[in-house]
Amino acid sequence: MDSGDDAQLDAAFLALADPVRRRIIARLSRGPATVNELAEPFAITKQAVSKHIQVLEQAQLVTRTRDAQRRPVHLNPARLEALTAWIDQYRLVREAQFRSLDAVLETRAARGGTQAKDAS
Amino acid sequence: MSNALTLTVPEGLPFIDFEREFDFPVSEVFRAHKDPELVAQWLGPRRMAMDIDHYDFRTGGSYSYLHTGPDGTPHAFNGVFHTVRENDFAVQTFEYGGYPDVVSIEFMTFEDLGGGRSRLRAHAVYPSMEARDGMAQSGMEGGLSEAYERLEEILSSAKV
């Protein structure tokens, strides 16, 4: 692991050191949400929640997109995965392998080289 | 549908168990384990080149392949397929060239779940706890228990 990775890990773990930010991540794991939606369960100002989101954004744990007037916040699963990968390398290696396996099976099914998965 | 991987690394026993479902028929999952061309597409870790020397997924067969990381360091793996039963079961050995003679045995069960779905279960047995832990924790560093707790918190609340 080089120092660039280390710096990124530091930023991510620092961002996750706060309970509000952890709850925001947990909420986003169920789908994107706007700042208003994210602020709802908290007894703090929307501005404070925005600041927390900025910290998560700088740590690359979340991203924001423009969608007309909405600016939903999205979880960046790759970043979170990199964190858990660091903690739990063996499991994540397997999981990554199986996702690749899913992709291989998907490709084969799409090519019609198989009875498709909903053939039953 | 998310097919979560269940992985168990029991305390005090040199085993690793895992279980994973697929939205594909058991015949396809088995084939992806049997056909070297398909194996090369998923078994190698991302960011690593996978070169298969030979891969003969049948009873009495053997395999040998090489992972090469971005830094050019080759990692060799080899083993034998002790038993292979189509769409059902396989027993293979697994040895990493970096730790010669530390051989694990992997029992794999391919299960038809119906509706075009299937489940893969594997039980790996290691010659010692050190060998198992070396495998399960490779790359782990000290001082991460706190970080681990935080992550667990996130992941468990994310499941709700």
Side-chain angles (χ1 to χ4, degrees):
Chain A
M1 180 166 301
D2 64 36
S3 55
D5 285 345
D6 268 348
Q8 285 200 319
L9 278 176
D10 287 349
F13 279 120
L14 212 64
L16 293 172
D18 182 277
V20 171
R21 294 199 284 267
R22 289 200 294 274
R23 284 181 63 188
I24 291 173
I25 292 285
R27 164 65 187 84
L28 291 175
S29 73
R30 296 193 288 275
T34 61
V35 175
N36 278 337
E37 289 161 350
L38 288 171
E40 223 168 88
F42 297 109
I44 54 176
T45 63
K46 221 173 77 179
Q47 284 74 16
V49 171
S50 283
K51 270 210 131 128
H52 282 304
I53 292 168
Q54 267 174 34
V55 173
L56 291 170
E57 207 174 358
Q58 275 157 19
Q60 295 173 37
L61 287 163
V62 305
T63 56
R64 303 184 67 175
T65 52
R66 279 196 191 282
D67 174 14
Q69 297 98 330
R70 282 165 54 96
R71 283 203 70 194
V73 184
H74 299 258
L75 191 63
N76 178 4
R79 192 76 210 113
L80 201 58
E81 187 176 296
L83 275 193
T84 50
W86 174 76
I87 283 169
D88 194 1
Q89 295 203 2
Y90 183 80
R91 192 181 69 78
L92 264 289
V93 165
R94 283 286 176 177
E95 181 58 49
Q97 277 175 356
F98 287 140
R99 280 192 209 156
S100 307
L101 177 51
D102 284 335
V104 168
L105 295 168
E106 197 77 60
T107 309
R108 281 177 53 76
R111 277 198 204 125
T114 163
Q115 323 86 311
K117 54 184 167 175
D118 48 3
S120 58
Chain B
M1 179 165 315
S2 73
N3 292 311
L5 169 72
T6 316
L7 191 129
T8 316
V9 183
E11 195 157 337
L13 292 169
F15 303 152
I16 294 178
D17 287 275
F18 65 80
E19 204 179 302
R20 172 69 145 73
E21 293 183 6
F22 295 90
D23 298 331
F24 298 91
V26 69
S27 57
E28 281 300 306
V29 175
F30 185 84
R31 191 183 170 79
H33 282 76
K34 182 188 171 84
D35 181 343
E37 265 184 49
L38 297 179
V39 168
Q41 290 172 43
W42 67 267
L43 189 59
R46 281 173 294 193
R47 296 186 300 168
M48 284 212 186
M50 166 121 180
D51 297 302
I52 294 184
D53 175 59
H54 68 284
Y55 192 95
D56 189 9
F57 194 67
R58 61 184 174 86
T59 297
S62 68
Y63 69 91
S64 164
Y65 56 80
L66 208 63
H67 288 158
T68 308
D71 63 351
T73 315
H75 302 277
F77 300 88
N78 73 92
V80 299
F81 298 111
H82 182 88
T83 302
V84 175
R85 283 201 304 271
E86 187 97 13
N87 302 335
D88 177 29
F89 182 68
V91 182
Q92 69 179 73
T93 67
F94 176 89
E95 181 179 12
Y96 169 48
Y99 293 94
D101 302 342
V102 179
V103 178
S104 61
I105 305 176
E106 298 178 351
F107 303 79
M108 289 186 282
T109 307
F110 299 83
E111 209 179 325
D112 183 5
L113 296 178
R117 305 194 74 244
S118 56
R119 179 187 294 133
L120 176 66
R121 277 185 223 267
H123 175 62
V125 180
Y126 296 82
S128 67
M129 288 304 299
E130 291 71 28
R132 194 283 306 268
D133 291 346
M135 176 63 79
Q137 296 171 13
S138 58
M140 275 178 72
E141 294 163 36
L144 60 79
S145 57
E146 196 195 338
Y148 201 171
E149 276 164 28
R150 285 179 191 154
L151 247 287
E152 285 218 307
E153 227 179 287
I154 294 161
L155 298 176
S156 53
S157 56
K159 265 181 224 151
V160 176

